Amino acid sequence: MSAADRARPITIIGAGIGGLTAALALADRGFAVEIFERAPQMQEVGAGLQLSPNALRVLGRLGLMKDLLVHGTRAREVILRRAFTGRPIASVPVVASDGMPYVSIHRADLQAVLLRAVDRSPAITLHLGATLQALTPARGGLDLWFISGEGRHRLQASLVVGADGVRSSIARRLGLAAATPSGAIAWRGYVSRDNGGGPPPGITAWLGPRRHAVAYPISGGRETNLVLIEPMKRMTLADPAGLAYRFRSWDRDVTSMIAAAGDMTGWPLNVVPPDRPWRHLDDRLILIGDAAHAMLPYAAQGAGMAIEDAAVLADALARAPSRSAALAHYEAERRPRIAKVRRRVAFHQRVYHLPWPLNLARDAALSLRSPDSLRDDLSWLYDWSPPRRF
Ligand SMILES: Cc1cc2nc3c(=O)[nH]c(=O)nc-3n(C[C@H](O)[C@H](O)[C@H](O)COP(=O)(O)OP(=O)(O)OC[C@H]3O[C@@H](n4cnc5c(N)ncnc54)[C@H](O)[C@@H]3O)c2cc1C
C-alpha cells in the first residue's frame, strides 16, 4: 500500500466473525483499524458453529487457539448416519494432516474470544450502534454516512472492508444483485445435556431424502447444538411445531433432541450469486465473508471462508505496493478457493439429500471407503494454510 493509504485507518463495516477477524489480522500486520457495527451490543444468537482446521490455523496464528480450546470441543470425525434408523454410514476424519484440530463451539464463545482480542489491541477501535447508511466517492477516498444514538455523522475513509453479512446493505447500495433464497431453511436449537434426549457424542449428521440433521457439542460439552435443514415451504416459517411432525419417523436420537430443544429458530438460507463483484469504487471498497460469497452451510465453511478472507486480505494489503495490486492479488487468491468450496457444498447438497433407492447406493459406496480416503477427499480444504508471512 502507498504511504498515504497506510497512514489512514482501514474501516470495517460489520463486527461479525469476518469483520472481527479482519480487524485482528490487519492490526497484526501493522494497520490501524476502525470497525463500525450496527448492533448496540455484541450479542450472538444461541447457536453453534463448526470451525475446521483451515479456519483454526488463522485464529491460531492470531494467538487465539488456547482461548478457543477452553470453550470449544475437539472432534476427530463427523459420523454420517441414516435418517430413519440412525445406522452409521461412514466416519469422515476431520483432523488435518498436521494435527490441527476441528472444533465445535458456541457462537457467543467464539465472538467473546474475538472481542477480547479486539479490546486488547491498541490499533483497533470498535464503534457499536453505528449503522452505515450511505457511501459516496469523495476526493482521496469515500464518504461514509452513519446513523447512531448521537445522530447522523460522516467519516472519510481511504479503504473500506465490507463485512456486513448475507443481507449486505453495502451490496444493496452498490446496486448489486441481492442474495437469493436457496429454497431451504435451517432450524437451530440446543439441548442441555441434563435435559434428557442425550444425543450421541461428537459431530453427527443424519442424511435423509431432501432433509438432514446435524448435532454437535457446544459450551464445553454442556449443550448440544441441533440444526435441521429442510425445504422451505410457504408456511414452514410460521409452523415450528410442525417440525416434530415432519421429522417424526427419524432416528430416536433426532426426535428426542427435537422434543427437548423446544422452540427452534428458523433461518431461511440465502446465497450470494457466485459472480458478485468484490472490488468497488476504484478499489476503495472490498467485500469479504458472507457479504461477498454467502453459501449454503452444507460443508460448514461460511465462517471458515470469512476467516480465511481476513488472513489473505491483511497479508495482501501489507505486502502489495498499492491498494489495487493488493485487492487484485486478494481476489486472484480467493475466487478459485471460494468456487471450489461452493462446488463441494453443491456436492454435499446432492449426496446428503438423495431419495430412495439412490441413498442405498450412496451408503454402500461410502461404507466401502476407508477413513484415509475420506480424509483425502477434504485435505485440499482442511490443509489450507494462511500466507506464510501472515
Ligand atoms: C444454519 C447455519 C449453520 C452454519 N454453520 C456454520 C458452521 O458450522 N461453520 C461455518 O464456518 N459457518 C457456518 N455457517 C455460516 C456462518 O454463520 C457465516 O458464514 C458467518 O457467520 C458469516 O460471517 P460474516 O462476518 O461474513 O457475516 P455476519 O456474521 O452476518 O456479520 C455481519 C455483521 O455486520 C453487521 N452489519 C450489517 N449491516 C450493517 C450496517 N449497515 N452497518 C454496520 N453494521 C452492519 C451485522 O449486525 C453483523 O454483526 C452457518 C450458517 C447457517 C445459516
Side-chain angles (χ1 to χ4, degrees):
M1 290 248 283
S2 69
D5 278 336
R6 258 195 173 273
R8 293 162 71 183
I10 293 177
T11 306
I12 298 178
I13 307 299
I17 296 165
L20 290 174
T21 310
L24 293 169
L26 286 163
D28 189 62
R29 299 307 302 257
F31 293 98
V33 183
E34 287 200 83
I35 319 176
F36 293 85
E37 165 58 47
R38 71 177 167 198
Q41 284 162 10
M42 294 299 289
Q43 284 173 326
E44 252 301 351
V45 289
L49 198 68
Q50 300 172 58
L51 285 177
S52 51
N54 46 314
L56 281 177
R57 232 171 250 118
V58 173
L59 299 176
R61 289 208 198 162
L62 291 170
L64 307 178
M65 186 66 90
K66 209 171 139 202
D67 215 1
L68 284 170
L69 290 178
V70 170
H71 303 283
T73 303
R74 289 169 183 244
R76 279 184 296 117
E77 61 207 358
V78 172
I79 299 172
L80 305 178
R81 291 179 184 272
R82 286 199 178 166
F84 303 120
T85 61
R87 214 177 93 192
I89 305 168
S91 291
V92 184
V94 288
V95 177
S97 52
D98 63 355
M100 183 59 69
Y102 190 108
V103 159
S104 57
I105 190 166
H106 199 297
R107 281 172 189 257
D109 289 332
L110 171 61
Q111 190 181 62
V113 168
L114 294 170
L115 278 173
R116 275 198 293 276
V118 162
D119 276 352
R120 282 195 300 269
S121 171
I124 306 175
T125 312
L126 172 60
H127 305 268
L128 294 176
T131 304
L132 179 75
Q133 285 223 306
L135 72 174
T136 49
R139 258 190 79 184
L142 298 177
D143 275 348
L144 307 182
W145 295 91
F146 292 93
I147 186 96
S148 69
E150 289 135 36
R152 199 163 190 257
H153 65 277
R154 182 174 67 107
L155 174 96
Q156 274 231 318
S158 76
L159 176 62
V160 176
V161 178
D164 58 344
V166 60
R167 293 179 198 284
S168 170
S169 63
I170 297 178
R172 197 170 61 244
R173 275 167 218 299
L174 292 169
L176 305 178
T180 51
S182 67
I185 181 170
W187 295 91
R188 307 204 274 196
Y190 54 99
V191 184
S192 159
R193 278 259 163 203
D194 313 326
N195 196 10
I203 303 181
T204 306
W206 290 261
L207 313 185
R210 301 198 305 148
R211 292 184 164 78
H212 72 274
V214 183
Y216 50 84
I218 54 172
S219 309
R222 292 185 304 282
E223 293 172 318
T224 298
N225 187 74
L226 175 64
V227 183
L228 305 170
I229 295 193
E230 62 169 350
M232 169 91 185
K233 300 261 169 61
R234 197 138 46 99
M235 287 309 292
T236 325
L237 247 188
D239 182 26
L243 257 187
Y245 181 75
R246 295 191 294 275
F247 282 82
R248 68 191 176 285
S249 39
W250 281 48
D251 179 24
R252 262 213 10 225
D253 276 337
V254 177
T255 54
S256 54
M257 278 189 287
I258 294 174
D263 280 349
M264 295 181 70
T265 313
W267 295 71
L269 297 175
N270 294 336
V271 291
V272 162
D275 58 355
R276 172 175 284 181
W278 297 349
R279 295 159 59 191
H280 298 276
L281 303 170
D282 193 24
D283 281 333
R284 298 261 176 216
L285 187 145
I286 179 85
L287 297 175
I288 68 164
D290 273 9
H293 45 63
M295 56 184 74
L296 286 169
Y298 300 166
Q301 282 299 320
M305 289 303 109
I307 290 168
E308 287 188 8
D309 287 351
V312 176
L313 179 64
D315 184 72
L317 289 170
R319 287 203 286 150
S322 69
R323 208 176 56 239
S324 288
L327 297 195
H329 174 78
Y330 168 80
E331 182 158 22
E333 287 284 310
R334 297 305 295 154
R335 281 268 176 212
R337 172 96 174 146
I338 297 293
K340 194 165 180 181
V341 175
R342 278 186 193 269
R343 287 197 293 277
R344 185 73 199 185
V345 169
F347 173 72
H348 282 189
Q349 183 178 17
R350 272 196 313 278
V351 170
Y352 280 12
H353 294 174
L354 281 175
W356 186 88
L358 294 175
N359 59 352
L360 300 181
R362 171 200 65 203
D363 296 354
L366 275 172
S367 64
L368 292 174
R369 303 276 309 274
S370 70
D372 280 350
S373 82
L374 291 170
R375 178 196 283 113
D376 290 349
D377 278 358
L378 290 169
S379 60
W380 63 271
L381 181 56
Y382 296 158
D383 288 348
W384 180 91
S385 278
R388 204 172 292 284
R389 286 187 48 205
F390 169 72

